Amino acid sequence: MRSSTLSVLFGVPWLLLLAGPNARAQESEAPSVRVVITIGGHGFDADGFYGMFRAMPGISYEVLEVPQQAHALGPELREKADCLVLYDMVADISEEARRQFVALLQRGIGVVSLHHNLGAHRGWDEYRKIIGGKFIFEPCVLDNTFYDRTPWKHGQRLRIEVVRKDHPITRGLANFEISDETYGRFYTAPDIEVLLRTDHPDNNPVVAWTRHYGQSRVVYIQLGHDRGAYDNPAYRELVHRAILWAAGKLND
């Protein structure tokens, strides 16, 4: 959960394709989905992470660094993208950027929040309502329940159980194991629909869920720290399906 800023330069017309021409949608019969990935506030293995998206059929992506480019997360983005993949861990964005982001979600766009994004926007209470959870940096009370700091540990082996076997994201997905970073107890909203759980003693039991915010479908997946996850076939399939469902390409 180490935090650092990844510096990215953005050009015209509106965002830089960080991964270059290889990030275009692949020839496939899979549904075509335009994805915007947010980064910033946390380092990661860029080659491994973007390689996962380049391997997904039907997915084209562009990359947005926040908070510098947070102003682009407004309602007009819906004309250019079908789904947001939130992989940033920025501490905050401006009040106006917050309003614009909420307006985008009220209009309706797919949202897939991954791993350390659980710790993003730590001073903005609405964000935990958007993604349905919150990494706890300082002891606090949320929904009348006390939470201590969330611990984490790198390089752990987790057994993942599929809870909702009938959901489009997890339908036909078998239980699997993955090497990843554990997050101890963190806040989860009372109205989330749980998809995955783990019995790892150092991890929060719930590791993936869905919810709705405004007109937007939202998915959170705790997994995704490094290549232990990026290269895991089950994880790749999970993230791909989450994007398709959030974007409205998979029906309930």
Side-chain angles (χ1 to χ4, degrees):
M1 200 68 183
R2 293 170 295 179
S3 179
S4 62
T5 299
L6 178 64
S7 177
V8 182
L9 298 176
F10 290 85
V12 293
W14 65 292
L15 295 173
L16 172 70
L17 271 173
L18 184 64
N22 289 331
R24 64 183 178 273
Q26 301 182 17
E27 295 296 327
S28 173
E29 295 181 357
S32 178
V33 181
R34 303 165 299 170
V35 172
V36 168
I37 302 172
T38 66
I39 62 170
H42 195 291
F44 63 96
D45 177 348
D47 288 343
F49 183 69
Y50 296 123
M52 177 174 65
F53 292 94
R54 289 195 296 270
M56 292 180 185
I59 300 297
S60 62
Y61 71 86
E62 299 189 4
V63 179
L64 179 69
E65 187 175 21
V66 293
Q68 296 93 321
Q69 300 290 324
H71 62 273
L73 295 170
E76 69 283 352
L77 184 64
R78 186 61 186 87
E79 303 303 324
K80 305 169 184 175
D82 305 301
C83 185
L84 299 174
V85 172
L86 306 177
Y87 200 58
D88 66 271
M89 202 182 79
V90 295
D92 207 354
I93 55 177
S94 70
E95 287 289 343
E96 178 59 24
R98 291 177 179 180
R99 286 193 291 269
Q100 290 297 308
F101 185 52
V102 169
L104 171 62
L105 301 183
Q106 294 292 350
R107 179 176 180 182
I109 192 170
V111 177
V112 177
S113 169
L114 298 177
H115 192 55
H116 51 247
N117 186 249
L118 189 71
H121 309 283
R122 64 192 70 173
W124 185 23
D125 193 56
E126 189 68 16
Y127 197 68
R128 68 182 172 96
K129 302 173 186 177
I130 291 172
I131 66 170
K134 183 180 180 68
F135 188 98
I136 309 300
F137 288 97
E138 296 296 336
C140 62
V141 175
L142 297 173
D143 295 345
N144 299 315
T145 301
F146 174 78
Y147 290 86
D148 208 340
R149 294 181 182 88
T150 301
W152 69 90
K153 188 182 297 184
H154 295 155
Q156 301 298 299
R157 194 73 181 172
L158 291 85
R159 295 184 298 185
I160 305 299
E161 177 193 2
V162 178
V163 177
R164 275 293 310 273
K165 299 182 184 298
D166 59 339
H167 195 281
I169 296 175
T170 51
R171 188 178 298 136
L173 184 68
N175 297 343
F176 62 95
E177 292 191 3
I178 191 169
S179 176
D180 213 323
E181 181 181 29
T182 56
Y183 287 172
R185 182 173 180 253
F186 53 78
Y187 167 83
T188 55
D191 59 347
I192 60 172
E193 182 177 9
V194 178
L195 297 180
L196 304 177
R197 296 177 65 91
T198 184
D199 60 359
H200 195 290
D202 295 326
N203 204 89
N204 194 73
V206 176
V207 296
W209 61 79
T210 66
R211 63 179 289 103
H212 289 76
Y213 185 90
Q215 297 300 311
S216 300
R217 290 179 170 185
V218 179
V219 185
Y220 176 74
I221 302 170
Q222 180 210 309
L223 310 170
H225 177 69
D226 56 19
R227 285 180 184 255
Y230 308 153
D231 295 342
N232 185 297
Y235 181 71
R236 289 189 172 207
E237 180 69 14
L238 180 67
V239 174
H240 189 200
R241 291 191 195 180
I243 291 170
L244 295 178
W245 180 81
K249 305 296 185 179
L250 290 179
N251 296 321
D252 288 321

